[in-house]
Amino acid sequence: MTHQPVDSEHAPHKRWVKSSHWIITLSFFALVFTGVEMIMVHPRFYWGEVGNDLTPVLFELPVSRNYQHGGWEKSVPFSEAAGAPVSAARTYDIFNQNGWGRSLHFLAGWFLLVPGLIYFIAGIFTGHFRKHLWPKEFSLKLFWNDIINHVRMQIPPATNGPQYGLLQKLSYVIVLFFLMPVIVMTGMTMSPAITAAYPFLLKIFFGAQSARTIHFFASTALVLFLIVHVVMVIKSGFKQQVRAMTIGK
Amino acid sequence: MEKKKIITRRKAIITGLTSIGGLFLAGCSKPLPPTYGNILRMGDNLTYVAHRALLPGQSLAKEYNYRDISSFPATGTTNPASFNEDYSRLQKNAFADWALPIEGSVSRPGSYSLADLQKFPSHTHITRHTCEEGWTAIGQWTGVPLSTILQSVGILPSARFINFYAYDGYIDSIDLLDAFHPQTMLAYGMNGRDLPVAHGAPVRVRVENQIGYKSMKYLQRIVVTDEFVDPGDSGWAWYTGI
């Protein structure tokens, strides 16, 4: 084996990039799986601090038997005042697997948070973000050409390393510096202990239920990214790409 | 030649592992709930230890205005009288015969009637209830801070956990940090009235820094213990600050 000097034009993926990529991939699958389970328990979404079966809904997903189940006793107002808030007892045995769903979600969350933080720190200090992810040669013309190429499904072949196209860089930047921080922080905004310590979270996401709704949309965006990502990997040479991201040197 | 880095990878890994070790050490000096060899319960304990190590202690949950009070579903047990005769008898007499024994690691064990609890200075706050199912509701709670009662019975220095037993059969516990949290209380009033049966009459717990199911309804007995009392794996996380 000869050691050739590698310039950043042909550098392979770094080991810390590969490990964090796959740990976070596994954690992401667990998070999506349990996230869907939790939506099935309460498929209603709201805006603001408050939302429950007795308050107005933003939208409701028809994803489980809990959808519009209607199993409530007659509402009892808390006071005689007109439009007073009400209470009602639930008579319907809802679908609820949150016992393991929640615990698995939070366990998987650790496997996103810790490797994610290590990845961010390494990305900054090794210059990975600056060298490989930041679209420094950005121009509208290049941007447009890259869109046209993607529409025509003319995907450049695998480079076996972090030499990314313009749209590819932009989508990675959006995922890493926007969707990931938003999904982690909105997740934390649903935690009573964390919001007690850091109430600004409730302010920036407009309340606990808004945070839940934003969390849902951010996760949907991440799932869409994953689908496009896998399609692009297949289009640019699946075997070669997977090798480059695992055992390839 | 590669320039010598100030922080080598090996150094960074060793420093990282040492600090994580420190986190677990802090966890081991306190009793933790059992994991039953279940990886999910290990994750719950990691979250518990991390919250206790990283979050500032005794932060107050956000309090709301009177006009923020919202509609509030009653879920879980909504009337233990349907299966518990003792509760049914107490309910028929408007809970005049209800009394809450507080025993265990305390120097003055006693039993407190509703009137006894109402003689202590009352505490009222309006907070958001977060249910594990995903919904939230805002309500006003009136009661006596749990810390007041624990001081009244003379909690012993060896005590570590407060165990709650309820008329609907639920058993649960909280640690002393949550027990002495200024917002943790034994609530007998909701939205300016007596606590309704559907919401846990005559007295329920309010633990504002955790998920709703830690705020147990229909209190029957409180036991202060030095060790974690294992009620068996319910399949649900014991610590639910998240």
Side-chain angles (χ1 to χ4, degrees), chain B residues 147-167:
Chain B
S147 61
T148 306
I149 298 296
L150 292 175
Q151 278 154 358
S152 161
V153 292
I155 183 167
L156 297 176
S158 59
R160 286 292 175 272
F161 293 96
I162 312 299
N163 300 268
F164 302 107
Y165 296 81
Y167 277 102

Side-chain angles (χ1 to χ4, degrees), chain B residues 56-127:
Chain B
Q58 310 299 54
S59 310
L60 295 185
K62 182 177 174 184
E63 296 195 5
Y64 297 82
N65 294 315
Y66 194 79
R67 63 173 183 279
D68 297 325
I69 291 173
S70 75
S71 291
F72 207 124
T75 60
T77 314
T78 51
N79 190 356
S82 59
F83 55 86
N84 186 324
E85 275 184 33
D86 292 341
Y87 186 84
S88 181
R89 246 189 320 265
L90 292 167
Q91 193 183 345
K92 275 182 195 126
N93 205 8
F95 302 106
D97 306 322
W98 177 89
L100 181 68
I102 304 175
E103 52 210 42
S105 299
V106 296
S107 51
R108 295 178 295 278
S111 192
Y112 293 79
S113 70
L114 202 49
D116 292 335
L117 292 180
Q118 285 164 347
K119 269 181 217 141
F120 288 101
S122 79
H123 171 90
T124 295
H125 62 223
I126 300 171
T127 49

